[in-house]
Amino acid sequence: MSGGMELLERVRAHSAALGEKPALAAGAERLSWRALWPGVVSLAAVLREQGSGPVAVEGVRGTWPPAAFLACLVAGRPYLPLDPEWPAARREEILRRTGAQKLSRAEAEAGFYARRTCEIAGGAGIAYLLFTSGSTGAPKEVAVSRANLDHFLRWAGGLEGVPEAAGETVVGQAAYSFDLSVADLYLSLFWGGTHVNLTGAELADPAALFDRLERSGAALLVATPSFLRLCLREGRFAPGRLSRLRTVFSCGEDLPAPTAARLLERFPGATLLNAYGPTEATCAVCAAPITREMCTGPLPMGVLGAGAVEITLEDGEIVLRGESVAPAYGGTYRTGDLGRVEKGLLYWRGRLDDQVKYRGYRVEPAEVAAALETIRGVERAAVLPRRDGAGQVRGLTAFLEGRDLPAGPELARLARLRLPGYLCPDQWRRLERMPLTANGKCDRTRLKEMLR
Ligand code: AMP
């Protein structure tokens, strides 16, 4: 499409039609549909004057970052959500690598209310840059195109239970620096809903969380299984308080059958989707509706032939080909996930490499180890996940070799200066000597035995 993006055309039309209905909400903040588009094009005009490269939006929660993202899309500049809570060194490294211009809340708001106007940028181009954990020891940049995003939205809008609920109220758990948020934010904007981004305070306090879920009238909840498990611990997570909840879009990690069973028991009328996909292929590429009868064993995460892309198994690995795959991969993305197909349904069988999900976050142990090796006194580091009986990751253990290792609390402090909280180990083990394999690599099998 020459106008650029179906998403933006729809946002413009909703803004003209939906008046005072909130488009974006977070905490006490509200932004109406009526106000959204004029503000977005005004900020876009300012951004277009300032350059053409990426824009680092310095915020990952609240109502202003999404308004800034839309302005970047209108201006034709890639945006990059920059988490203020990441260590300064990580933020600086990302800014240096991308050459991005920083956009603060004050600057965004000044542009939003400047009453300027701007045509929607044409062309393909990059929509956003996200940074995920990288196996090479540094954060991995993923550049998703405008076409990728439109394609994802068209596909996800065809999923059972999604469009109706997305036009009401969508609650998103993830910060905008994670690609799970692409589902809640943009499905809501695409379908003219109200997008509710949970605040840090709401995520930290179940009473505040359930108040928000109840008061917002959440119809579609987008969350990781880890988050759903936390919600299910609370009796308040039930239709009595969440009377409008009808679709749960679970994505980002393996959905255990007991979690799904409990959710469907609590919300018998709800549609539960187990969606699968990596950031590199735009949020999710397939999904399977889960019924209570399925909850006796591993759950499917996709229906072959109904995904956003072509999905094949090559030597057991899930390989994705098609319009959702970020441009850097030339149309084919090898996921590193092992899959299995049974009766046309796709199941997850683990990873080919060391990548894990911990509390819903992607963790590359090699990135954590590389960051730890920059600490003075650490000569060699290896990081392993600790798992419970059900295979869930319960923590990260760092094994360190070095003559002058700092003390445990100091190690934790130095790690936090280098890594976001979710990548920091919570257990430290000192080794006289790192066990090595015959070819001199760290012997992870030996280390795994030492975890027990
Ligand atoms: P991320 O890009 O951080 O969302 O991580 C993508 C990875 O999360 C995938 O490659 C899988 O390993 C895992 N993942 C995502 N969704 C699912 C799912 N429904 N079931 C099992 N694993 C999943």
Side-chain angles (χ1 to χ4, degrees):
M1 223 191 310
S2 66
M5 296 189 78
E6 188 178 346
L7 165 69
L8 295 175
E9 298 296 351
R10 292 182 68 118
V11 171
R12 170 158 57 187
H14 292 319
S15 183
L18 296 177
E20 293 313 310
K21 175 175 177 176
L24 301 168
E29 293 175 15
R30 296 274 169 291
L31 191 60
S32 71
W33 271 105
R34 188 197 306 284
L36 181 63
W37 189 254
V40 161
V41 291
S42 177
L43 175 56
V46 174
L47 290 172
R48 189 173 287 169
E49 253 167 33
Q50 292 174 342
S52 57
V55 176
V57 177
E58 292 184 287
V60 293
R61 292 202 174 272
T63 56
W64 79 268
F69 301 162
L70 289 170
C72 290
L73 293 173
V74 169
R77 298 183 64 178
Y79 70 80
L80 134 66
L82 197 62
D83 190 335
E85 288 182 10
W86 285 341
R90 191 179 184 89
R91 274 181 286 138
E92 276 151 27
E93 162 71 7
I94 286 173
L95 288 170
R96 192 188 56 71
R97 265 165 64 182
T98 56
Q101 166 195 338
K102 283 201 275 184
L103 181 71
S104 68
R105 177 175 187 153
E107 288 163 337
E109 285 176 350
F112 193 87
Y113 294 109
R115 296 173 176 270
R116 305 275 305 273
T117 120
C118 180
E119 289 298 308
I120 299 176
I126 296 303
Y128 60 79
L129 306 175
L130 289 181
F131 283 82
T132 180
S133 190
S135 58
T136 58
K140 178 182 185 188
E141 177 186 307
V142 181
V144 168
S145 74
R146 298 157 71 88
N148 291 151
L149 181 53
D150 260 354
H151 181 71
F152 164 72
L153 290 168
R154 278 193 294 269
W155 168 75
L159 291 171
E160 183 184 327
V162 166
E164 310 80 12
E168 291 182 26
T169 300
V170 183
V171 174
Q173 158 227 341
Y176 299 123
S177 43
F178 294 100
D179 94 316
L180 181 59
S181 69
V182 166
D184 47 78
L185 175 62
Y186 289 114
L187 281 170
S188 180
L189 290 169
F190 197 85
W191 292 98
T194 296
H195 180 261
V196 179
N197 181 235
L198 296 175
T199 63
E202 286 160 355
L203 288 165
D205 170 11
L209 172 66
F210 292 107
D211 263 7
R212 167 64 58 202
L213 290 176
E214 181 176 8
R215 277 190 291 127
S216 64
L220 170 62
L221 174 63
V222 175
T224 59
S226 294
F227 182 79
L228 294 174
R229 253 195 314 276
L230 290 178
C231 289
L232 285 163
R233 279 197 206 154
E234 303 275 333
R236 287 169 287 187
F237 188 63
R241 302 202 52 183
L242 289 148
S243 59
R244 306 183 77 92
L245 186 67
R246 47 179 139 124
T247 308
V248 176
F249 185 96
S250 169
C251 189
E253 60 184 334
D254 188 34
L255 175 63
T259 306
R262 253 179 289 145
L263 191 102
L264 291 170
E265 252 161 54
R266 286 274 179 97
F267 296 93
T271 302
L272 169 61
L273 295 167
N274 180 18
Y276 160 84
T279 306
E280 293 84 344
T282 322
C283 192
V285 295
C286 57
I290 304 301
T291 59
R292 285 173 76 168
E293 298 69 53
M294 289 175 171
C295 294
T296 50
L299 297 173
M301 58 183 193
V303 181
L304 280 199
V309 294
E310 185 201 329
I311 302 174
T312 53
L313 293 181
E314 297 179 16
D315 295 328
E317 181 180 11
I318 301 175
V319 178
L320 311 175
R321 286 190 181 81
E323 272 189 78
S324 297
V325 175
Y329 303 99
T332 302
Y333 184 66
R334 305 187 68 87
T335 60
D337 289 310
L338 290 164
R340 170 171 70 84
V341 173
E342 204 181 300
K343 297 189 184 142
L345 298 174
L346 179 68
Y347 294 79
W348 188 75
R349 288 203 299 120
R351 295 281 311 171
L352 273 167
D353 54 16
D354 298 325
Q355 184 188 109
V356 292
K357 283 293 174 107
Y358 177 35
R359 293 178 299 173
Y361 297 112
R362 185 197 291 198
V363 177
E364 289 286 2
E367 179 183 355
V368 182
L372 299 180
E373 283 176 356
T374 67
I375 294 175
R376 189 195 295 264
V378 176
E379 278 156 35
R380 210 154 180 163
V383 172
L384 271 86
R386 297 192 305 284
R387 294 178 190 271
D388 64 14
Q392 299 288 331
V393 178
R394 288 287 172 240
L396 299 174
T397 299
F399 291 94
L400 303 174
E401 178 191 320
R403 265 159 300 169
D404 295 310
L405 287 178
E410 179 65 359
L411 280 170
R413 188 185 72 81
L414 293 168
R416 280 196 301 272
L417 290 178
R418 291 161 169 79
L419 293 163
Y422 63 89
L423 289 181
C424 287
D426 58 347
Q427 194 184 77
W428 305 90
R429 303 269 296 266
R430 289 149 194 278
L431 298 175
E432 275 299 304
R433 194 162 290 277
M434 189 67 76
L436 299 180
T437 60
N439 54 16
K441 283 190 179 174
C442 161
D443 187 345
R444 298 183 66 84
T445 315
R446 282 277 309 284
L447 291 176
K448 205 168 158 187
E449 287 162 10
M450 293 165 67
L451 282 175
R452 295 196 196 106

